[in-house]
Amino acid sequence: MCSLILQLQSAMSFRGIVDRLLGRSSKSSDDTMPFSIVLLLKEPKRFTKEELQAAAESAWGKKFDGTEDPMYFVFQQGEFTIVKPGAHVISVLRQPHPYAANSEQSVGWLPQPEQKKAWLDHTAWVSLDLVNSTLPCDEAYKLLATLALHLISANCSGIYLPKDSMLFPNDGTVEEGLYRMQRGRLHE
């Protein structure tokens, strides 16, 4: 499992390819891109406020209704959704279509067959984006992974980290990757 994670880390930068196609420099994209964990979904899913509250409460062990502590809540109005764990804000964005091109030609950047399958199997996605954060990389991913661990299901074909161009298929690697993030060891 660890060797697969190391191979995942050495994957060609998909984000870099997209940036070049769009005429953006990768450096400026890294500077402005939020830390994100993208759940690649087999079928579209809109998490309800109640589902997100339950996941956040399970993740952090406290109520997320804003009454016990006004710094911990979930807000959802239409498609605008945020989860507020303390001083941080996580935006939840849902899209009922693939994250990017979803064809055999679009998976060349992925070194492992399991990663390619995860990418090709997804038809929709949900992104957890850390908003306005000055947290270091390890702390940012720790925060996002804490929530993501409580949202993944059999409907999730994998998770993608756009800022780091890493993809973990949902074959046991997802959980290991998220636990590594929680321990601040993503890049080890």
Side-chain angles (χ1 to χ4, degrees), residues 16-110:
I17 292 168
V18 171
D19 285 343
R20 283 191 298 278
L21 289 172
L22 296 175
R24 300 185 305 218
S25 82
S26 294
K27 185 174 183 351
S28 65
S29 177
D30 280 349
D31 293 344
T32 59
M33 180 182 284
F35 288 100
S36 301
I37 293 178
V38 178
L39 308 177
L40 302 174
L41 304 177
K42 296 174 188 174
E43 298 293 328
K45 165 79 173 145
R46 180 178 189 265
F47 289 105
T48 65
K49 179 180 179 180
E50 292 75 22
E51 288 171 317
L52 290 167
Q53 275 180 317
E57 288 172 2
S58 180
W60 282 282
K62 56 189 320 166
K63 293 296 244 178
F64 266 72
D65 60 7
T67 58
E68 186 177 292
D69 184 334
M71 294 293 284
Y72 291 81
F73 63 87
V74 173
F75 176 82
Q76 187 172 64
Q77 185 168 354
E79 290 300 314
F80 180 71
T81 306
I82 62 168
V83 176
K84 178 99 173 58
H88 309 289
V89 177
I90 299 171
S91 171
V92 181
L93 176 64
R94 169 187 79 94
Q95 293 296 315
H97 53 74
Y99 189 76
N102 200 7
S103 67
E104 288 293 332
Q105 294 81 20
S106 71
V107 294
W109 62 283
L110 296 165

Side-chain angles (χ1 to χ4, degrees), residues 5 145 159 168 172-182 186:
I5 289 174
I159 61 167
F168 298 88
T173 311
V174 163
E175 289 88 355
E176 183 172 332
L178 291 170
Y179 287 129
R180 285 174 60 122
M181 287 180 233
Q182 278 194 310
L186 175 63

Side-chain angles (χ1 to χ4, degrees), residues 9 15 33 35 137 141 161-166 186-187:
Q9 292 174 349
R15 186 186 71 256
M33 180 182 284
F35 288 100
C137 177
Y141 279 129
L161 310 180
K163 195 169 181 97
D164 289 275
S165 299
M166 296 174 71
L186 175 63
H187 296 101

